């Protein structure tokens, strides 16, 4: 950052312009600094605040997952710092942590104290029948109780129906649009 800022000044940029040219990089550096301090403090605090080793392990894994996911999502910020093989290790570690956290996922979610009826979630199922629950919920949704979607009468005149009819065979099977 300092070198880029000085290079901007050397090119004749004003102080404000040189600073503006490195502002996004400064923001990223700030964010990384805050993430580092948050992680360091959390990893120090967990063993002091939580006595139960199983809970410590679950919370620590969740923190590790969060931090590795942040690195993965912001990979471009780590160009020149992490190699492609290190990024692959991070992705593998994320998958490993997801597998390790899965048995504790319901308990971790329940720890926030939200009742299931308030969450009204079809995907937070312990029995694993997520797709069946999503399908059942979508069938009971009032928007899906008719064959024709709300607003179709306004949308249909704007569409090339012959193009849609010709190409639906390669897309998926279903009712013909001309019947709607």
């Amino acid at each position: 950052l300092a070198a880029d800022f000085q290079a901007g000044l050397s090119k004749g940029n004003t102080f404000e312009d040189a600073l503006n040219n490195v502002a996004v990089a400064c923001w990223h550096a700030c964010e990384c600094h805050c993430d580092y301090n948050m992680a360091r403090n959390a990893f120090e605090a967990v063993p002091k605040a939580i006595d139960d080793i199983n809970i410590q392990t679950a919370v620590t894994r969740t923190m590790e997952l969060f931090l590795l996911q942040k690195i993965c999502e912001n990979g471009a910020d780590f160009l020149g710092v992490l190699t492609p093989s290190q990024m692959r290790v991070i992705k593998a570690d994320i998958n490993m942590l997801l597998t390790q956290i899965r048995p504790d996922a319901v308990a971790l979610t329940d720890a926030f104290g939200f009742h299931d009826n308030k969450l009204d979630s079809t995907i937070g199922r312990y029995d694993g029948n997520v797709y069946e629950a999503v399908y059942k919920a979508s069938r009971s949704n009032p928007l899906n109780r008719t064959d024709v979607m709300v607003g179709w009468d306004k949308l249909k005149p704007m569409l090339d129906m012959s193009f849609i009819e010709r190409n639906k065979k390669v897309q998926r099977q279903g009712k013909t649009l001309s019947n709607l």
Side-chain angles (χ1 to χ4, degrees):
L1 289 173
D4 290 344
F5 175 73
Q6 286 301 324
L9 290 176
S10 298
K11 291 178 184 174
N13 289 337
T14 65
F15 178 87
E16 291 79 12
D17 287 342
L19 186 61
N20 192 46
N21 289 338
V22 295
V24 173
C26 287
W27 179 80
H28 283 294
C30 248
E31 188 177 37
C32 288
H33 176 75
C34 291
D35 287 344
Y36 165 76
N37 282 298
M38 179 196 69
R40 187 193 65 202
N41 291 339
F43 281 109
E44 288 175 6
V46 166
K48 296 174 187 171
I50 301 172
D51 294 327
D52 186 302
I53 191 69
N54 293 324
I55 297 173
Q56 275 185 24
T57 301
V59 170
T60 300
R61 285 177 179 159
T62 304
M63 290 186 318
E64 289 172 1
L65 176 63
F66 168 76
L67 294 167
L68 291 175
Q69 186 63 33
K70 271 195 78 105
I71 291 170
C72 194
E73 288 175 0
N74 299 302
D77 293 342
F78 296 96
L79 288 174
V81 177
L82 295 174
T83 66
S85 64
Q86 289 171 318
M87 287 300 287
R88 284 191 295 278
V89 169
I90 288 172
K91 288 179 181 179
D93 285 352
I94 288 171
N95 288 330
M96 178 191 65
L97 285 165
L98 287 169
T99 300
Q100 292 173 345
I101 290 170
R102 189 167 289 118
D104 298 321
V106 172
L108 287 165
T109 304
D110 288 348
F112 287 101
F114 298 115
H115 294 282
D116 289 342
N117 63 342
K118 293 286 184 192
L119 292 174
D120 194 23
S121 172
T122 54
I123 62 171
R125 299 180 59 94
Y126 191 76
D127 64 6
N129 297 328
V130 174
Y131 296 110
E132 294 86 345
V134 169
Y135 181 71
K136 182 179 176 186
S138 67
R139 292 204 26 106
S140 65
N141 186 308
L143 291 174
N144 295 325
R145 291 203 178 131
T146 64
D147 287 337
V148 179
M149 70 177 219
V150 174
W152 178 251
D153 56 325
K154 305 265 190 287
L155 182 62
K156 186 176 179 179
M158 294 184 271
L159 299 174
D160 181 350
M161 298 307 291
S162 60
F163 172 81
I164 293 172
E165 277 297 323
R166 278 192 318 271
N167 288 289
K168 77 171 186 166
K169 291 177 180 79
V170 295
Q171 297 295 321
R172 64 176 181 233
Q173 300 301 313
K175 291 187 177 182
T176 62
L177 296 172
S178 59
N179 295 341
L180 298 177

